[in-house]
């Protein structure tokens, strides 16, 4: 769910970024800005989610204790 929300926020940011810079008929460019922003936001949050899940799995594996050397 958070990945979808991140994609939505990225899409809104991408749309607004292009909409502020473009004058006239800019439907294609604002659509591409929204698409690129949505993909970037979703991919970024996917990476964060994967890293968080791997960290939690590693923490559970060692049961919160430090490894003895």
């Amino acid at each position: 769910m958070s990945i979808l929300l991140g994609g939505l926020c990225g899409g809104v940011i991408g749309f607004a970024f292009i909409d502020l810079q473009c004058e006239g008929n800019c439907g294609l460019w604002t659509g591409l800005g929204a698409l690129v922003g949505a993909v970037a936001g979703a991919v970024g949050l996917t990476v964060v989610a994967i890293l968080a899940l791997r960290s939690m799995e590693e923490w559970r594996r060692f049961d919160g204790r430090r490894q003895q050397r």
Side-chain angles (χ1 to χ4, degrees), residues 10-69:
V12 170
I13 291 170
F15 175 83
F17 183 74
I18 300 298
D19 191 46
L20 288 172
Q21 296 180 17
C22 191
E23 296 178 6
N25 187 8
C26 302
L28 174 67
W29 295 111
T30 53
L32 285 175
L35 179 66
V36 169
V39 169
V43 168
L45 274 177
T46 301
V47 169
V48 170
I50 289 171
L51 291 174
L53 290 172
R54 284 184 180 180
S55 175
M56 289 171 47
E57 189 271 330
E58 185 175 338
W59 182 262
R60 284 190 192 130
R61 185 183 318 149
F62 293 116
D63 196 28
R65 293 172 287 178
R66 290 186 182 224
Q67 201 172 12
Q68 298 292 327
R69 292 183 182 196

